[in-house]
Amino acid sequence: MKYYLRLLRPKDWAKNLFLIVPSFFAGQFFVPSRFPHLLEGFIAFCCFASAIYIINDYRDIEEDRNHPVKCNRPLASGMVKKPLAILICISLLIIGCLLGWLADSHRLFLFVLALYFIINLLYSFGLKNIAILDILLLSAGFVLRVKGGAYISGVDASEWLIIMTFLLSLFMSIAKRRDDLLLKDSTGTDMRKSMRGYNLDFLNTMLGLSSAIIIVAYINYTVSPATVSKLGTDRLYYSSLFVIAGLMRYLQITFVLKKSGSPTEILYKDFFIQITLALWILSIYAILYLRDITIFAK
């Protein structure tokens, strides 16, 4: 069973937690009536994401067999047969559609799921081979998660929230491509066709540029009049300390430790990142939900 579980890539389901971002930043995350719909939406996105992973692995079987790590994937290694993988993929899409239908009465979330599937299908069938476009499409997937979460929760996803989500996912995608490039240099094998459009200087420049823009965008979001008016506090900028610390650690992992291969692996294994993320969440929770009894209150 472990091979079938690995086929679904449950470790990557953490990316779907971006669905809760809109309600959390709106100060309405703990409204009990929203929990069932958020759970339905989360599982629906997990089903669609796993279906896409299966399609992508099916398409890349031969390429994955030449990869030092991806050769151990269930389809590339032959531990899961192709017909069964297709059946699992179809079943996941059906379950995801049903849950997406239940999650949002206006069916806008179902539209987001469909758009997510189409974009990723196009990505798997060739667009991933186009440099720059590949990382832009990956980043668009995170934006769709945030939009989907906003539809489920009945809150607005501000333009700043969309921008920051896109920039953060773009930053992590660039770091991942840099790791692929280092792997290519050490093995002499192109792990992705799009890697022909990247080099180390370009990716290093893009990492530095994107990290700086993320910090500026986040600080602007926390102090913007619209945010202060909507959330009823001008203290959200305190949390920018942890955003800066987290980005600095990620850059350290990328440039010094050279281990930026998988963002989810970093999240699961790096203690510094985990503590920084926890403190960031706690700071926002205290500012938005405990404002009357904390030092963050006016």
Side-chain angles (χ1 to χ4, degrees), residues 13 65-66 136 154 163 181 246 265-266 283 296:
W13 290 348
R65 286 172 178 166
N66 297 321
L136 292 177
I163 290 171
L181 187 62
E265 286 291 329
I266 292 174
S283 67
F296 301 107

Side-chain angles (χ1 to χ4, degrees), residues 217-230:
Y218 187 82
I219 293 175
N220 280 335
Y221 164 70
T222 60
V223 300
S224 70
T227 301
V228 173
S229 174
K230 182 177 181 180

Side-chain angles (χ1 to χ4, degrees), residues 23-28 221 231-233 236 283-291 296:
S23 60
F24 184 70
F25 273 92
Q28 300 182 33
Y221 164 70
L231 300 182
T233 179
L236 196 61
S283 67
I284 295 175
Y285 174 77
I287 294 168
L288 296 184
Y289 295 89
L290 304 177
R291 66 186 68 179
F296 301 107

Side-chain angles (χ1 to χ4, degrees), residues 56-75:
N56 192 59
D57 287 354
Y58 190 94
R59 289 272 303 170
D60 293 344
I61 288 177
E62 297 303 323
E63 291 182 16
D64 288 349
R65 286 172 178 166
N66 297 321
H67 193 284
V69 177
K70 295 179 181 179
C71 63
N72 296 317
R73 287 179 174 175
L75 281 171

Side-chain angles (χ1 to χ4, degrees), residues 18 21 139 141-146 160-170 172:
F18 272 79
V21 167
S139 301
F142 285 88
V143 172
L144 289 174
R145 288 175 173 94
V146 171
W160 281 113
L161 206 56
I162 297 298
I163 290 171
M164 287 185 297
T165 299
F166 180 78
L167 289 173
L168 179 61
S169 55
L170 187 66
M172 293 187 293

